Amino acid sequence: MAVFKTLTEADLVSFHTGLIAGVDEVGRGPLVGDVVTAAVILDPNRPIAGLNDSKKLTEKRRIALFDEICDQALSFHVGRASPAEIDELNILHATMLAMQRAVAGLKLTPELVLVDGNRSPAFDHQGKALTSHSIVKGDGLIASISAASIIAKVTRDREMDALDVAYPQYGFAKHKGYPTKAHFEAIAEHGVFDQYRKSFKPVKEILER
């Protein structure tokens, strides 16, 4: 499996004349909710300024870029794996499945798929096997991966905000489901519900107690 650490998107485009899809995920660490991925094919004729790793952007900037990506990308799609799938497969394999779903949902077939991180699943689009490469820290290097990280991050954050409305006592709007002190205190007081990942050690220990 090839891993590119220094190539830019321009370098990769020089070798691949077809469409390139960037893929990233968010939500591997939280105790609750789906792991969310996104695949984005940007329009080379409509570059988007300011793309970067979503974690390095302010919430206001992420939302502005989210809207711009949705408006200008040639195609994008969100994939996910549920807490039940995470418990059944483990978080790594569930994440790979969610990435495959994101790419499969694109309305256009990319020639190349670039994935943030150090591994990539096998991708298929409408029966066609796709070439893919993983790129360490690609969300800060490759524009299409940066765009995917923004789409995935804003999507999942909004889902946590909605969960906060349904279960305000847990504070999801603040910690987004991650294992913080306040989150553990809320779980200890109110318990867990069906959106929790029951195979994750902190949740499993609480259930066993």
Side-chain angles (χ1 to χ4, degrees), residues 56-205:
K56 297 180 180 179
L57 301 169
T58 64
E59 181 179 10
K60 182 179 179 180
R61 185 61 180 145
R62 277 198 303 269
I63 292 172
L65 286 168
F66 176 93
D67 292 337
E68 195 170 354
I69 295 162
C70 291
D71 180 59
Q72 297 190 25
L74 294 176
S75 182
F76 70 92
H77 191 74
V78 172
R80 61 183 67 250
S82 68
E85 290 174 319
I86 292 168
D87 291 339
E88 179 183 355
L89 300 173
N90 76 40
I91 186 61
L92 174 60
H93 289 94
T95 300
M96 297 295 106
L97 175 62
M99 288 182 173
Q100 290 171 323
R101 288 170 172 169
V103 170
L106 291 168
K107 66 180 182 181
L108 301 174
T109 302
E111 177 189 341
L112 176 68
V113 180
L114 303 178
V115 181
D116 181 55
N118 60 6
R119 66 182 66 203
S120 170
F123 289 106
D124 177 277
H125 190 269
Q126 297 182 1
K128 178 184 177 182
L130 304 177
T131 299
S132 64
H133 296 297
S134 57
I135 303 180
V136 175
K137 298 182 179 180
D139 51 3
L141 298 172
I142 306 298
S144 58
I145 300 179
S146 300
S149 77
I150 292 166
I151 293 293
K153 171 68 173 169
V154 173
T155 297
R156 193 178 192 282
D157 281 357
R158 287 175 174 176
E159 291 173 0
M160 288 295 102
D161 290 342
L163 202 62
D164 185 72
V165 174
Y167 300 92
Q169 66 271 34
Y170 288 84
F172 293 121
K174 293 183 178 180
H175 55 65
K176 308 303 183 187
Y178 283 89
T180 65
K181 180 181 178 182
H183 192 184
F184 283 132
E185 290 174 349
I187 294 173
E189 183 175 355
H190 303 291
V192 300
F193 52 92
D194 58 352
Q195 287 298 306
Y196 274 90
R197 303 171 182 179
K198 298 174 180 62
S199 61
F200 276 35
K201 186 177 179 180
V203 179
K204 187 176 181 180
E205 290 178 346

Side-chain angles (χ1 to χ4, degrees), residues 5-58:
K5 295 185 179 180
T6 58
L7 290 181
T8 66
E9 191 160 27
D11 295 326
L12 290 162
V13 169
S14 69
F15 293 106
H16 296 272
T17 57
L19 299 175
I20 296 176
V23 177
D24 202 4
E25 56 76 26
V26 67
R28 288 180 63 170
L31 305 177
V32 65
D34 295 347
V35 58
V36 176
T37 65
V40 178
I41 300 176
L42 292 175
D43 185 346
N45 297 315
R46 301 179 74 188
I48 298 174
L51 291 174
N52 201 348
D53 173 4
S54 63
K55 297 185 294 296
K56 297 180 180 179
L57 301 169
T58 64

